[in-house]
Amino acid sequence: MLTFYSDDHHLHHGSCELIDGQLMPCFEKPQRADHILQRVKDRQLGEVRPPQDFGLAPIERIHSAAYLNFFKGAWARWQAQNGSGDLLPFTWPARTLRQVIPRDLHGQLGYYSFDGGAPITAGTWQAAYSAAQVALSGQQAIANGAHSAFALCRPPGHHAAGELMGGYCYLNNAAIAARAARDAGHARVAVLDVDYHHGNGTQDIFLDDGSVFFASIHADPASDYPFFWGHADERGVGEGEGATLNLPLPRGTTVERYTAALDTALEAIARFDPSLLVISFGADTFEGDPISHFRIATGDYPRLAERIAALGRPTLIVMEGGYAVAELADNVEGFLSGF
């Protein structure tokens, strides 16, 4: 399998995130991608290629110009204010506040964020931009005839909406690739999100788009991040009604219950009949993940992937979460082996 990867991910290395009421070292760290890349090379799992640069145009098909302009320029503005350390938001336009865009940097950061888990550092924009190019390069490889490709993206993307960053995510890599595939002629594309956390950004982006089917298997938002989206009654709106399938599961879910949900998602995707499948793959479903609560073992990942591969669709695998760094390469290797 072709793997696409950029060293630019090292440019993003946040020092802290706000979690459980404390500023803590970031769980999303460069070692995640480093370990996976080394395993791909050591086990000769496929050729590793650098991404092509498709420019901003495909990113602008997903994210608004206002958001991109803010994100690109935020660090320089922070430095001009003699800011030190990571740039993190501390105020948000909650439900009862006016939804206006302030002129101040911190006000804008709060407007374009939904949590304190997406620090902006000196290299965050470039790292996120290159991650999007990694996903686009995987999509292009499939367009050129590859049956599957692995986009080793970092930072991840599935929590990022059209005008929102959060949950370690800034640009939605899977959505950017899916939209590029639609623009290239795919009549129907499916996105299957198998990260522990709901892909709220991807759902938001395609909520009213009936040509992109979004299915997500994730922790029940009644008890788990991102809390405010991912319930089973969310099925899409307008032309996208029926093209969203959420399968929330309780903490402690074992592989048996997870497999049943996966089969439900795969049956729905088969009925939708896409010509391309994009997988938002998070290995944070692993039983040893430090911020997640499912009970999927390393040995389960090949079998889960085999069920997905049995759909027989050209498949782009986009890396999302997974924070048990020591075991991450094992879990990713297991999943890739199913294809």
Side-chain angles (χ1 to χ4, degrees), residues 124-334:
T124 302
W125 163 256
Q126 184 59 51
Y129 175 88
S130 294
Q133 305 306 322
V134 165
L136 287 165
S137 296
Q139 184 272 322
Q140 185 61 51
I142 292 173
N144 291 340
H147 187 69
S148 60
F150 175 43
L152 179 44
C153 295
R154 182 185 172 270
H158 72 148
H159 292 307
E163 288 195 316
L164 280 176
M165 63 180 69
Y168 313 143
C169 301
Y170 306 86
L171 301 177
N172 194 311
N173 307 309
I176 289 166
R179 179 71 76 202
R182 284 280 296 115
D183 291 345
H186 286 271
R188 291 179 301 280
V189 174
V191 179
L192 172 62
D193 194 314
V194 289
D195 189 277
Y196 178 82
H197 305 96
H198 178 248
N200 59 289
T202 311
Q203 175 172 305
D204 182 70
I205 288 163
F206 296 120
L207 194 65
D208 61 354
D209 187 344
S211 68
V212 178
F213 187 85
F214 175 69
S216 181
I217 308 168
H218 53 270
D220 191 337
S223 59
D224 274 270
Y225 182 92
F227 301 111
F228 301 106
W229 223 346
H231 298 273
D233 62 350
E234 298 156 19
R235 302 184 62 254
V237 299
E239 294 181 3
E241 186 173 356
T244 293
L245 174 64
N246 283 312
L247 297 165
L249 297 171
R251 292 186 175 194
T253 287
T254 62
V255 70
E256 291 78 17
R257 186 164 184 177
Y258 192 94
T259 300
L262 178 61
D263 287 346
T264 298
L266 295 177
E267 290 167 5
I269 290 170
R271 289 193 297 270
F272 184 72
D273 194 23
S275 53
L276 175 69
L277 174 63
V278 178
I279 301 175
S280 277
F281 171 57
D284 48 359
T285 53
F286 173 57
E287 60 189 353
D289 194 88
I291 60 173
S292 306
H293 307 282
F294 284 171
R295 296 178 182 170
I296 307 301
T298 297
D300 296 327
Y301 286 105
R303 293 188 291 274
L304 293 173
E306 287 166 5
R307 299 178 96 87
I308 302 171
L311 281 174
R313 312 296 165 127
T315 301
L316 172 64
I317 303 166
V318 177
M319 194 67 210
E320 301 287 0
Y323 309 102
V325 176
E327 298 87 1
L328 184 57
D330 294 333
N331 295 332
V332 174
E333 179 186 1

Side-chain angles (χ1 to χ4, degrees), residues 23-172:
L23 285 175
M24 300 176 62
C26 292
F27 286 101
E28 204 292 291
K29 60 186 70 174
Q31 292 91 329
R32 298 177 60 248
D34 293 341
H35 286 204
I36 296 168
L37 177 68
Q38 193 60 50
R39 178 61 58 86
V40 169
K41 291 180 175 179
D42 289 347
R43 298 292 175 86
Q44 299 181 344
L45 300 179
E47 180 184 352
V48 178
R49 294 182 183 177
Q52 301 176 58
D53 191 342
F54 296 88
L56 268 176
I59 298 173
E60 291 171 335
R61 293 284 288 129
I62 294 297
H63 298 284
S64 73
Y67 172 73
L68 293 173
N69 287 335
F70 165 76
F71 181 25
K72 283 187 290 184
W75 183 257
R77 292 171 64 190
W78 181 227
Q79 293 303 102
Q81 294 181 19
N82 297 313
S84 61
D86 296 351
L87 183 57
L88 278 170
F90 62 84
T91 185
W92 291 271
R95 295 186 308 278
T96 58
L97 300 179
R98 288 189 62 190
Q99 305 297 302
V100 296
I101 305 177
R103 290 191 299 271
D104 180 78
L105 171 63
H106 292 289
Q108 290 181 7
L109 180 60
Y111 183 85
Y112 290 119
S113 302
F114 68 87
D115 69 5
I120 295 179
T121 71
T124 302
W125 163 256
Q126 184 59 51
Y129 175 88
S130 294
Q133 305 306 322
V134 165
L136 287 165
S137 296
Q139 184 272 322
Q140 185 61 51
I142 292 173
N144 291 340
H147 187 69
S148 60
F150 175 43
L152 179 44
C153 295
R154 182 185 172 270
H158 72 148
H159 292 307
E163 288 195 316
L164 280 176
M165 63 180 69
Y168 313 143
C169 301
Y170 306 86
L171 301 177
N172 194 311

